[in-house]
Amino acid sequence: MIARALILVARAWQIGPSAVMPPTCRYQPSCSAYAIEALRRYGAARGSWLAAKRIARCHPWGGHGYDPVP
Amino acid sequence: MTEDNKNFVLFAVVAALILFGWPLIQNRFFPTANPPVTKIEGGKTEVVQGKAAATADAPGAIRDRNLVIGESPRVKIDTPTLQGSINLKGARIDDLVLKNYKDTIAKDSAPVRLLSPAGTTDAYFAAFGWRDDGLAPPAAETVWTASSPVLAPGKPVTLTAANAKGQRFQIELSVDKDYMFTVKQTVANGGQAPVPVATYGLVNRAGVSKDPDSWTIHTGPMSVANGSANYSPNFKDVDAAPQKFTTTGGWLGFTDKYWLTALLPDQARSFDGQFRAGNAKTYQADYTAAPQLLPPGRQITQTARFFAGAKEVKLLDRYTDKEGATKLDYAIDWGWFRLVEKPIFYYLDWLFRMIGNFGVAIILLTFTIRALVFPIAQRQYASMAHMRAIQPKMKAIQERYKDDKPRQQQEIMALYKSEKVNPLAGCLPTLLQIPIFYALYKVLMLTIEMRHQPFVAWIKDLSAPDPLTPLNLFGLLNFTPPHFLAIGVIPIILGISMYFQFKLNPTPMDETQKQVFALMPWVLMFVMAPFAVGLQVYWITSNIITIIQQRLLYARHPALLEAPAK
């Protein structure tokens, strides 16, 4: 239930602010897509944790490339 | 319906919701700008007149201010920033105008009036006295005797009165060259028995603040108690029930967006404060100091201060840091974001003092911020340009692995590697701009230093929206278009600059996103139109810098343009 609500948030981000911004993703899949998959597969708690870790990795000095949900 | 079409419809609905629903939300949460100070009519810039003067048949016993002021003996107040008088009947400070601020931007505009006697339009006054718990202090009708006819900085005035039981009362008023009065209240007990002494102070105003109380900026009753600033209750809460608190150190009063009255009792002693509503829509903030017993033959002095004036940032900081006024600087409702807003304000203010024009100062602020993020931005644009160049190859990959998303992504990454495309910076640098933008929004909305600051030509107030709209041929046609459509010239320039900036980005591969991108500049143009011109100036400058930076990059690496995206 909580996971579904969080997925909705990620979806809202994708069709809202993210659609407006120039493409900036360092990783594939994008953080939001990653979050949605993680939440779907691991549930609210572990899914959020994975998504948070992913977002924390995404900065100009972090890694990049293909980085799917484990 | 294909997935693409579905997404586009969804986007259209969201965009429509934003466009039409936004104005409703906005006024509650993000008041967009200050009310316009000019309107452009018949090709001429006209000053918008402030509130209409009270008509003769205004309800209640509202009388002419000059008449009321002339009715009782008074001590004049004359300082570099203040002008007014103290009513000796009741020892009230009830006539005060701020010399340095005007109602409108017209040259002959009247100065802003903060305090006004009871029974006049916008009555608003302060009074200091003693509670009657067996002390028999002077009543509200008592006419006090003044030691001098004028109160000025360095020239205090002492008001005296006595009661029938042998107590003498003294109020020594002094004022600094800004907005702070010091009130020393002394009782000398010449009677036979000890008397309880408790001073009070009050601010009373008729009606609610003229500035709306919103989510981002609080106006109305305000207090600092027990170490924290309280931007509640609002007038409605006070209507419902009196709001009380007890604290040592702090203050209470009423705040408008730019103006403040604040009672500051002795900061080292405990006091009881309260806000309450009176008859006929009046509101009062008052405090009572803890009572003390005064034996015969002795006297006791209690000191309080009273702030009445404009919320100038530096001034409030000085009163707070140097003169022990607990958290008086919180009277400016910066919100939780003050940590970012205040440095931006101080930097902008410093630029303004160097240049003399706030519009230019905002442009220079933009340049500074862009210079700080230049290395990151440069890398970002380089990789974006690169991505634009390899877009045809990406499309081919997308086509080939249509049904195998992970494979598709892997192949794209491999392509990046073989083409030596730098990874993008991530969304962090873009997101970092949002707090700066929000901080500038608050600074423009909130600080009196930005009020009535002109830029160039028809822009007479950077904190208000652009008054010049092409919809009525720049004011040549004599009609006022519907507010929502009447977007100004500056917002249109913003839309155009955004359009060109978006064009330099790699075109999204997704059809829906492409359409979203094409529409976005124009949607944002409408969303931004009602905001302060200063904010739009910031955004336009930022867009232009982006465009130039990207163009230079293309000029240096023509290879990036070889495969222009379609």
Side-chain angles (χ1 to χ4, degrees):
Chain A
M1 191 59 213
I2 300 167
R4 289 190 67 174
L6 289 171
I7 288 173
L8 217 66
V9 172
R11 275 304 286 162
W13 161 262
Q14 284 183 331
I15 49 182
S18 181
V20 185
M21 281 165 41
T24 50
C25 294
R26 297 171 66 82
Y27 290 106
Q28 287 289 341
S30 68
C31 289
S32 46
Y34 185 97
I36 289 170
E37 199 190 327
L39 287 165
R40 216 169 257 155
R41 275 174 41 195
Y42 295 99
R46 197 162 137 70
S48 312
W49 172 241
L50 283 168
K53 277 208 309 201
R54 169 63 176 281
I55 292 167
R57 278 201 298 275
C58 175
H59 55 79
W61 301 274
H64 60 91
Y66 185 59
D67 175 33
V69 181
Chain B
M1 209 192 260
T2 67
E3 184 74 5
D4 274 352
N5 280 339
K6 223 155 86 193
N7 277 342
F8 186 69
V9 168
L10 198 63
F11 167 73
V13 170
V14 170
L17 275 180
I18 290 173
L19 263 179
F20 296 102
W22 181 243
L24 301 175
I25 306 167
Q26 198 174 49
N27 282 329
R28 173 136 182 78
F29 294 106
F30 296 101
T32 43
N34 292 331
V37 294
T38 55
K39 57 183 180 217
I40 295 175
E41 243 167 37
K44 275 187 297 200
T45 296
E46 307 269 356
V47 172
V48 174
Q49 291 304 325
K51 58 210 182 261
T55 46
D57 56 356
I62 298 289
R63 295 186 302 146
D64 179 65
R65 188 176 290 123
N66 290 332
L67 199 74
V68 173
I69 288 175
E71 274 175 351
S72 51
R74 282 173 178 271
V75 168
K76 270 179 80 173
I77 300 170
D78 187 18
T79 84
T81 52
L82 296 171
Q83 197 179 335
S85 57
I86 297 159
N87 192 348
L88 288 178
K89 187 173 166 184
R92 282 178 177 177
I93 306 176
D94 65 358
D95 166 28
L96 202 67
V97 299
L98 312 178
K99 277 185 189 172
N100 296 343
Y101 295 98
K102 292 181 165 187
D103 270 337
T104 70
I105 61 161
K107 282 212 176 64
D108 58 352
S109 163
V112 169
R113 173 168 286 277
L114 187 62
L115 303 184
S116 180
T120 65
T121 316
D122 301 328
Y124 197 176
F125 57 85
F128 298 87
W130 289 267
R131 269 183 54 184
D132 187 5
D133 296 329
L135 176 65
E141 298 78 42
T142 306
V143 176
W144 294 66
T145 313
S147 64
S148 141
V150 179
L151 172 66
K155 288 182 189 149
V157 171
T158 306
L159 313 182
T160 46
N163 66 5
K165 286 159 52 183
Q167 281 89 34
R168 284 180 50 77
F169 299 88
Q170 220 179 54
I171 302 176
E172 188 198 295
L173 286 163
S174 50
V175 65
D176 65 6
K177 58 183 184 22
D178 301 303
Y179 302 119
M180 192 69 92
F181 292 87
T182 304
V183 184
K184 266 189 191 166
Q185 291 169 261
T186 306
V187 185
N189 190 356
Q192 302 302 318
V195 286
V197 172
T199 53
Y200 72 77
L202 66 87
V203 186
N204 188 296
R205 72 180 291 163
V208 302
S209 172
K210 292 201 167 57
D211 308 316
D213 183 20
S214 72
W215 189 57
T216 41
I217 297 170
H218 172 72
T219 62
M222 187 187 165
S223 63
V224 166
N226 303 309
S228 65
N230 304 309
Y231 297 99
S232 57
N234 56 31
F235 286 114
K236 263 195 201 130
D237 301 329
V238 177
D239 275 333
Q243 309 281 324
K244 298 181 185 187
F245 60 89
T246 302
T247 179
T248 302
W251 54 269
L252 73 166
F254 293 105
T255 179
D256 296 323
K257 189 147 93 179
Y258 296 129
W259 327 117
L260 171 72
T261 54
L263 299 162
L264 295 107
D266 188 337
Q267 298 288 288
R269 305 185 87 95
S270 157
F271 69 88
D272 295 320
Q274 71 169 337
F275 294 103
R276 52 183 162 167
N279 299 327
K281 274 275 175 199
T282 58
Y283 294 93
Q284 180 164 307
D286 56 52
Y287 72 85
T288 315
Q292 288 167 279
L293 210 61
L294 179 65
R298 302 281 288 275
Q299 67 172 38
I300 186 169
T301 300
Q302 279 154 309
T303 305
R305 282 179 291 173
F306 173 54
F307 178 97
K311 298 195 279 184
E312 292 166 16
V313 179
K314 263 179 239 163
L315 189 62
L316 293 183
D317 280 356
R318 195 191 84 208
Y319 284 133
T320 306
D321 299 337
K322 304 246 166 74
E323 298 176 29
T326 312
K327 290 201 166 169
L328 191 60
D329 56 341
Y330 277 71
I332 299 177
D333 186 5
W334 298 103
W336 55 275
F337 214 52
R338 60 196 295 125
L339 235 64
V340 182
E341 287 157 9
K342 274 186 118 172
I344 287 191
F345 168 80
Y346 271 107
Y347 180 58
L348 205 57
D349 192 55
W350 177 79
L351 285 172
F352 169 64
R353 274 180 289 115
M354 298 284 135
I355 315 282
N357 182 305
F358 253 117
V360 180
I362 289 173
I363 291 175
L364 288 177
L365 170 78
T366 320
F367 272 95
T368 315
I369 290 169
R370 293 306 300 257
L372 289 177
V373 299
F374 178 82
I376 294 177
Q378 191 70 3
R379 254 184 63 181
Q380 176 85 345
Y381 299 149
S383 32
M384 265 195 219
H386 225 125
M387 279 182 55
R388 223 171 84 125
I390 61 163
Q391 216 151 30
K393 286 186 191 169
M394 285 220 309
K395 269 219 173 109
I397 292 177
Q398 258 193 333
E399 283 298 307
R400 193 159 351 132
Y401 302 103
K402 231 195 263 164
D403 306 317
D404 189 359
K405 281 263 158 147
R407 180 73 197 273
Q408 183 189 341
Q409 283 161 356
Q410 260 169 324
E411 288 295 324
I412 288 176
M413 284 301 149
L415 176 69
Y416 283 180
K417 224 169 216 164
S418 65
E419 294 281 340
K420 294 202 174 65
V421 176
N422 283 322
L424 293 164
C427 49
L428 202 67
T430 320
L431 291 182
L432 269 181
Q433 307 230 4
I434 294 174
I436 292 168
F437 196 67
Y438 180 68
L440 188 64
Y441 159 76
K442 283 280 291 228
V443 166
L444 275 164
M445 281 301 290
L446 200 59
T447 58
I448 187 156
E449 287 80 355
M450 307 288 155
R451 180 181 182 257
H452 292 180
Q453 280 294 342
F455 180 28
V456 287
W458 71 93
I459 310 284
K460 308 286 186 208
D461 186 350
L462 280 161
S463 68
D466 187 348
L468 187 66
T469 172
L471 227 69
N472 57 5
L473 269 187
F474 305 103
L476 288 173
L477 301 180
N478 203 356
F479 83 102
T480 309
H483 184 68
F484 173 67
L485 289 173
I487 55 173
V489 171
I490 298 280
I492 292 172
I493 298 176
L494 174 65
I496 294 170
S497 73
M498 239 174 330
Y499 170 77
F500 280 107
Q501 198 236 297
F502 271 49
K503 262 187 98 163
L504 287 172
N505 289 338
T507 351
M509 286 173 294
D510 184 88
E511 268 309 306
T512 321
Q513 270 202 346
K514 217 171 175 173
Q515 281 160 314
V516 170
F517 252 54
L519 259 169
M520 220 50 217
W522 314 116
V523 173
L524 281 176
M525 177 174 83
F526 275 98
V527 169
M528 286 305 296
F531 279 88
V533 172
L535 213 54
Q536 293 159 11
V537 168
Y538 170 84
W539 202 337
I540 292 169
T541 315
S542 188
N543 282 343
I544 292 174
I545 296 173
T546 304
I547 293 169
I548 293 174
Q549 208 176 338
Q550 293 197 11
R551 285 247 160 251
L552 284 179
L553 202 80
Y554 286 135
R556 264 200 317 185
H557 305 285
L560 295 178
L561 272 178
E562 261 169 22
K566 258 273 153 239

